[in-house]
Amino acid sequence: MTLPILELAGLRKSFGELEILTGIDLKVTKGELAFVIGPSGSGKSTMLRCCNLLERPTSGAVMLEGRNIAASGVRLDPVRRRIGMVFQSFNLYPHLDALGNVSLALRKSLKLPRAEAAERAAAALERVGLAERARHHPAQLSGGQQQRVAIARAMALEPAVMLFDEPTSALDPELVGEVLAVMRELREAGMTMVVVSHEMRFAREAADRVIFMDQGAIVEQGTAEEIFGAPKSSRLQAFLARQAA
């Protein structure tokens, strides 16, 4: 039996008296695109941030490649190199060009020499279709291009898993497609991905599994066909009806 590459077991997260995650159990296998949907405030982004310990779980385990990375004493830097994350905001350094933004991550995280980091960064930018924009600064790039630079930065570290937290929600509608195209290519190349997004059409077309969260819990999960075509729970049915309205 193949071990999941990422597993959440009994994951809980509270902020003071407010419980955000109420006991999440989730397994993600190598090469899978797991797509997380649900209403705002359901805990989706908090769950994602617990996966790479940007938020410390209150209790429960986060297993990465068979190891509980939420255990005390685990060094976070090596762990975070194995889990790439792409945020809603691009978080690029405005004073660095695209190549500099990607190569800096390689130099800081992997301690690569400058020339090797630049070579690897150029390859990552080419992969997201931005080779000709390598010397452009963020202010000279569209929102979609900036997000593709952010994807290249995470991808260049060759993580085991890529997490995407609403990667298209800050983009103008006409720019969304170029980011989703890069994500689709990553999936086809075998990258393991956990995506939180409202892009339902992309979920239908590309997701191996769709996970519906509400009120800090996983309510239902299944294939895109099962979730969108035959939702079982009344909460999921109501959520999808609101999306379609």
Side-chain angles (χ1 to χ4, degrees), residues 6-8 50-53 56-57 60-76 78-80 82-83:
L6 177 67
E7 179 178 2
L8 308 179
C50 284
C51 288
N52 69 350
L53 305 180
R56 275 277 180 189
V62 179
M63 308 294 294
L64 178 67
E65 299 174 303
R67 178 189 182 205
N68 183 11
I69 61 173
S72 61
V74 174
R75 288 182 57 232
L76 292 185
V79 164
R80 290 198 177 123
R82 300 294 293 154
I83 307 180

Side-chain angles (χ1 to χ4, degrees), residues 9-242:
L11 193 74
R12 292 179 177 273
K13 177 63 181 178
S14 298
F15 295 101
E17 296 294 308
L18 184 63
E19 190 172 39
I20 304 296
L21 301 177
T22 62
I24 300 287
D25 295 309
L26 178 65
K27 295 179 180 179
V28 180
T29 57
K30 185 175 174 60
E32 183 178 19
L33 195 167
F35 202 102
V36 186
I37 64 173
S40 296
S42 58
K44 306 183 300 295
S45 291
T46 300
M47 181 188 76
L48 213 60
R49 290 170 70 86
C50 284
C51 288
N52 69 350
L53 305 180
L54 285 175
E55 297 288 357
R56 275 277 180 189
T58 304
S59 62
V62 179
M63 308 294 294
L64 178 67
E65 299 174 303
R67 178 189 182 205
N68 183 11
I69 61 173
S72 61
V74 174
R75 288 182 57 232
L76 292 185
D77 285 348
V79 164
R80 290 198 177 123
R81 287 199 287 269
R82 300 294 293 154
I83 307 180
M85 188 150 186
V86 177
F87 299 89
Q88 178 177 339
S89 54
F90 319 126
N91 295 332
L92 300 179
Y93 291 107
H95 65 289
L96 296 177
D97 59 22
L99 189 74
N101 268 282
V102 179
S103 63
L104 181 66
L106 291 163
R107 284 163 46 212
K108 295 291 186 187
S109 294
L110 301 186
K111 311 299 183 197
L112 293 184
R114 189 177 292 269
E116 186 179 346
E119 187 178 326
R120 197 149 136 183
L125 288 171
E126 184 170 2
R127 198 168 163 192
V128 300
L130 288 176
E132 76 287 356
R133 295 281 192 271
R135 291 301 179 185
H136 287 60
H137 285 70
Q140 300 170 296
L141 301 172
S142 71
Q145 290 169 337
Q146 290 183 61
Q147 190 61 295
R148 283 152 64 196
V149 173
I151 293 172
R153 178 178 58 190
M155 191 178 68
L157 296 172
E158 297 180 350
V161 182
M162 290 267 285
L163 310 176
F164 292 82
D165 189 9
E166 300 282 8
T168 60
S169 63
L171 300 178
D172 293 333
E174 66 269 21
L175 300 177
V176 168
E178 65 188 65
V179 173
L180 296 181
V182 170
M183 293 170 66
R184 189 174 277 109
E185 287 166 18
L186 283 176
R187 177 194 181 277
E188 289 167 1
M191 174 61 74
T192 308
M193 302 161 68
V194 183
V195 180
V196 168
S197 176
H198 292 287
E199 297 291 340
M200 298 297 166
R201 183 176 172 186
F202 183 70
R204 288 173 182 268
E205 294 172 355
D208 295 299
R209 185 160 40 120
V210 180
I211 296 136
F212 172 63
M213 285 183 68
D214 194 17
Q215 297 178 355
I218 292 176
V219 177
E220 195 170 333
Q221 57 181 304
T223 64
E225 192 174 315
E226 290 166 342
I227 291 297
F228 294 111
K232 296 184 179 70
S233 71
S234 59
R235 281 152 80 183
L236 175 55
Q237 290 166 9
F239 173 76
L240 292 175
R242 285 196 301 273

